[in-house]
Amino acid sequence: MRVLLSGNEAIAYGAHAAGVAVATGYPGTPSTEILENLAKYKDVDASWAPNEKVALEVAIGSSIAGARSLVAMKHVGLNVAADPLFTVAYTGVNAGLVIVSADDPGMHSSQNEQDNRYYAKAAKVPMLEPSDSQEAASLVEDAFIISETFDIPVLLRTTTRVNHSKSLVEVDLEQTKREPGYKKNAEKYVMIPANARVRRRLLEDRLKALEEFSEGFSGNKIEWGSREVGFITSGISYQYVKELFPEASILKLAMTYPLPRMLITGYVNQIEKVIVVEELEPYLEEQIKSWGLSVSGKESIPSIGELNPDIIADALIPREEAIENSKQSALPGRPPMLCAGCPHRGVFYELRRLKMVVTGDIGCYTLGVLPPLGSMDTCICMGASIGNAMGVQKATGTKDIVAVIGDSTFVHSGITPLIDIVYNGGITTVIILDNRTTAMTGRQDHPGTGRTLKGIDSHMLDFEKLVKAIGINSVRTVDPYDLKAVRKAIKEETAKDEPSVIIFRRACLLVEKPKGQPYTVNEKCDGCKVCLRLGCPAISWVNGRAEIDISQCAGCEICAKLCKRDAITVIK
Ligand code: SF4
Ligand code: SF4
């Protein structure tokens, strides 16, 4: 039977069919739904970890103990997990270990578009790349087998288009069963230098064997067509090449580390002109050229952003033909913004009014940078806001600096920099925007919500007690809808000569709908535009005065509190 599945659903299906017993990760677009779908299987222990490093360490532990294990994360998550990644390549595995890295070319929901294929090469772990949902499901199974056969973790690298697109998948696979079993083996798993040096050499042997395997791997295949022009491609780029050049020869690579050198060489030698089509960096092209083979690609195909058939056609097909092939109409852009009634809005409004320097972090609240709020000065990576604030304060001595971080991001990687502030005598104020969820990726639970991925009640991390235990004496919790209290808290805490934490706590309105009625603008409005400075999408400007779209208004009352003319009133 075949069913329509997204790449993420297919990975979950394939992993379950392969007998995965432990699955873990941290939510991040475009990978989030892999774990959410694995959590639906009763026989899979699926959980959100506080961050990707912890997730990989859990999966390494369960693999060593004999359970097939999968860890899923977005591309930047692999930076966080890089420390254990490089060493687990040395130790190898017991049961299969698959690491899914979901890259985001075009930065649909990311702060950069790094090409994680280089991680496979740098960490010396084999890599598989699916080009559709069917392949995503079958390659996960292959990945577990490769992992166990060659005693090494396998990187399954996907991209947004594969993760989120739906295509047909055979779902008649028989589930593999594997009994866990732990065997003590300190030489293999304890990486003191003496053991690591041995494992380092063995890793090279395993890579040689993997290269031979890659030559005959069924996922690396030639589709012969015209010998005048041929393509080498992988992942989603294969689909674009197939659509644009149905008559051409194509070498489709599903295993992209180590590369099958003999297969590629034999192919290139039989084609007049070979073009490498790949998203982002010239990862394949550089390696193929380093063997003295003549191929082209990035001279014309962009290495920035996501590819699509139009972009490839523009790069490779003469102009008129390319225009003929390009039938897609562009949709009008819709700028992202904080939701109407978002509990973060008032905090950013007050931070701007108080002219604070604001080091920001990763989450939907990063939208506080956009006008009219415009109240964020930096956003580097998960958890960076707190260290950034400490740095600004060290360099300038200013007290008018706050770090702003969400609850999930604080648990992910905000705790250690807060320890640094206390330990090294910082006086920065840290604002935790606690909306009781991981909102940006679709409302996932985390240790602060007290619920697991399986929906089971768990210990709820107490932020107030945690930051006090770290050594913060000045901690207060404030309702972010109470604008006066927001302003007072920021002013008072930043004036202190000691580090402080303000927890602005109110559930994301997608988790818990506010109880308030919608508001409307009456005839008292004199057009002062103060309410427009909130940037609430429910408020617009019509014929010289404000107007509220009651179908959007969440009834948060913030605009009514700002209006000095009593022109905004609740609908009774
Ligand atoms: S703040 Fe009040 S008076 Fe000013 S534009 Fe908005 S509704 Fe009108
Ligand atoms: S009460 Fe005002 S600020 Fe709040 S959602 Fe409605 S229009 Fe927007």
Side-chain angles (χ1 to χ4, degrees):
M1 185 180 64
R2 296 204 299 167
V3 296
L4 204 55
L5 295 181
S6 72
N8 283 343
E9 290 166 337
I11 290 170
Y13 167 73
H16 180 251
V20 72
V22 176
T24 177
Y26 181 80
T29 309
S31 69
T32 310
E33 301 82 11
I34 298 171
L35 262 286
E36 288 179 330
N37 279 285
L38 274 166
K40 293 174 188 166
Y41 296 107
K42 283 200 172 65
D43 53 348
V44 178
D45 184 327
S47 59
W48 291 128
N51 66 33
E52 296 84 355
K53 178 176 184 285
V54 176
L56 179 52
E57 288 156 353
V58 169
I60 291 169
S62 50
S63 156
I64 290 172
R68 282 193 168 179
S69 304
L70 179 142
V71 55
M73 59 196 74
K74 69 180 291 168
H75 63 293
V76 285
L78 200 53
N79 302 336
V80 180
D83 200 355
L85 170 71
F86 278 67
T87 302
V88 73
Y90 283 30
T91 65
V93 302
N94 176 10
L97 172 59
V98 176
I99 301 161
V100 183
S101 164
D103 291 13
D104 187 19
M107 296 174 276
H108 296 283
S109 185
S110 307
Q111 66 269 41
N112 72 22
E113 59 173 10
Q114 68 191 41
D115 189 332
N116 274 10
R117 293 178 298 173
Y118 289 100
Y119 263 116
K121 200 170 174 216
K124 295 175 178 284
V125 295
M127 171 168 58
L128 303 179
E129 287 189 78
S131 63
D132 61 16
S133 298
Q134 177 64 68
E135 208 176 18
S138 57
L139 284 184
V140 184
E141 286 210 282
D142 291 338
F144 278 111
I145 294 164
I146 293 169
S147 176
E148 285 165 9
T149 308
F150 295 93
D151 185 15
I152 199 159
V154 174
L155 189 67
L156 184 80
R157 189 255 187 180
T158 58
T159 55
T160 309
R161 211 47 62 173
V162 172
N163 293 102
H164 288 167
S165 300
K166 290 203 171 197
S167 57
L168 288 169
V169 178
E170 288 284 353
V171 289
D172 297 326
L173 293 172
E174 261 187 42
Q175 200 192 6
T176 309
K177 288 276 177 209
R178 192 180 200 282
E179 285 305 314
Y182 171 66
K183 249 174 77 188
K184 195 175 170 76
N185 188 346
E187 288 81 12
K188 181 163 156 38
Y189 296 120
V190 181
M191 285 303 95
I192 54 171
N195 291 341
R197 283 185 204 112
V198 175
R199 297 298 301 177
R200 171 77 183 88
R201 279 193 293 274
L202 288 174
L203 177 57
E204 292 304 317
D205 295 343
R206 285 178 279 160
L207 281 177
K208 268 204 190 82
L210 276 159
E211 192 178 327
E212 274 170 39
F213 171 82
S214 183
E215 299 285 356
F217 178 54
S218 59
N220 295 336
K221 57 177 187 235
I222 298 171
E223 295 170 11
W224 285 112
S226 155
R227 306 271 171 140
E228 280 171 29
V229 180
F231 294 89
I232 299 176
T233 187
S234 65
I236 192 65
S237 302
Y238 164 76
Q239 305 291 354
Y240 304 151
V241 170
K242 199 80 187 133
E243 182 181 325
L244 286 168
F245 307 99
E247 311 298 329
S249 293
I250 301 174
L251 169 51
K252 178 191 174 304
L253 297 168
M255 186 165 187
T256 46
Y257 188 78
L259 286 173
R261 183 172 174 169
M262 280 178 353
L263 180 72
I264 293 171
T265 306
Y267 174 76
V268 172
N269 288 340
Q270 294 180 66
I271 308 271
E272 264 176 55
K273 182 178 179 201
V274 176
I275 302 167
V276 181
V277 180
E278 57 190 322
E279 251 171 357
L280 301 181
E281 304 298 326
Y283 166 84
L284 296 171
E285 190 179 336
E286 278 176 355
Q287 287 186 74
I288 295 167
K289 281 180 171 167
S290 76
W291 303 330
L293 297 172
S294 172
V295 296
S296 62
K298 289 297 173 189
E299 293 90 340
S300 52
I301 299 168
S303 56
I304 296 175
E306 192 179 29
L307 295 181
N308 63 37
D310 288 346
I311 293 170
I312 297 171
D314 276 347
L316 300 179
I317 302 176
R319 193 76 196 131
E320 300 76 38
E321 270 185 71
I323 290 166
E324 187 56 33
N325 280 340
S326 167
K327 296 265 193 267
Q328 277 188 359
S329 59
L331 292 170
R334 198 181 54 156
M337 58 179 72
L338 295 172
C339 302
C342 172
H344 305 327
R345 176 168 281 106
V347 176
F348 285 115
Y349 178 79
E350 291 298 345
L351 285 170
R352 186 181 166 109
R353 276 222 293 186
L354 292 167
K355 297 191 171 55
M356 288 285 157
V357 176
V358 179
T359 54
D361 227 297
I362 307 284
C364 55
Y365 53 89
T366 316
L367 295 171
V369 70
L370 298 177
L373 295 168
S375 41
M376 195 171 284
D377 294 82
T378 65
C379 175
I380 308 296
C381 65
M382 293 285 283
S385 58
I386 299 176
N388 290 165
M390 174 78 164
V392 171
Q393 191 241 310
K394 269 177 186 279
T396 62
T398 181
K399 285 189 190 173
D400 294 338
I401 164 87
V402 296
V404 171
I405 187 166
D407 46 342
S408 184
T409 314
F410 179 67
V411 175
H412 179 284
S413 45
I415 298 167
T416 39
L418 189 61
I419 292 171
D420 183 51
I421 285 184
V422 174
Y423 177 58
N424 284 309
I427 56 164
T428 308
T429 297
V430 173
I431 289 175
I432 301 175
L433 296 174
D434 182 3
N435 65 357
R436 320 304 298 147
T437 190
T438 316
M440 188 167 78
T441 46
R443 290 168 286 141
Q444 286 75 30
D445 281 298
H446 60 73
T449 69
R451 225 174 7 261
T452 69
L453 172 58
K454 292 267 194 183
I456 298 164
D457 285 341
S458 169
H459 175 73
M460 188 188 291
L461 182 63
D462 186 323
F463 288 134
E464 285 83 349
K465 280 190 185 157
L466 173 70
V467 299
K468 277 187 183 154
I470 283 172
I472 302 282
N473 296 318
S474 188
V475 183
R476 64 167 95 179
T477 307
V478 177
D479 179 357
Y481 276 1
D482 184 346
L483 278 191
K484 270 193 193 146
V486 169
R487 190 175 172 82
K488 186 167 180 287
I490 297 169
K491 275 173 92 169
E492 288 179 0
E493 295 304 331
T494 52
K496 289 179 180 166
D497 286 322
E498 62 174 326
S500 57
V501 169
I502 310 169
I503 301 167
F504 289 117
R505 178 170 293 134
R506 186 173 266 271
C508 167
L509 73 166
L510 298 176
V511 170
E512 199 181 305
K513 274 227 167 304
K515 295 188 180 75
Q517 291 293 310
Y519 281 71
T520 188
V521 180
N522 62 39
E523 69 291 340
K524 289 186 197 163
C525 174
D526 68 357
C528 73
K529 293 191 177 176
V530 165
C531 57
L532 293 188
R533 288 183 210 149
L534 283 169
C536 174
I539 308 176
S540 57
W541 190 247
V542 181
N543 298 330
R545 49 174 274 188
E547 191 170 287
I548 291 177
D549 174 356
I550 59 164
S551 68
Q552 282 201 65
C553 174
C556 74
E557 209 193 340
I558 291 181
C559 58
K561 284 174 182 157
L562 281 182
C563 179
K564 297 271 190 304
R565 276 101 193 149
D566 290 330
I568 302 179
T569 49
V570 72
I571 297 176
K572 298 246 168 69

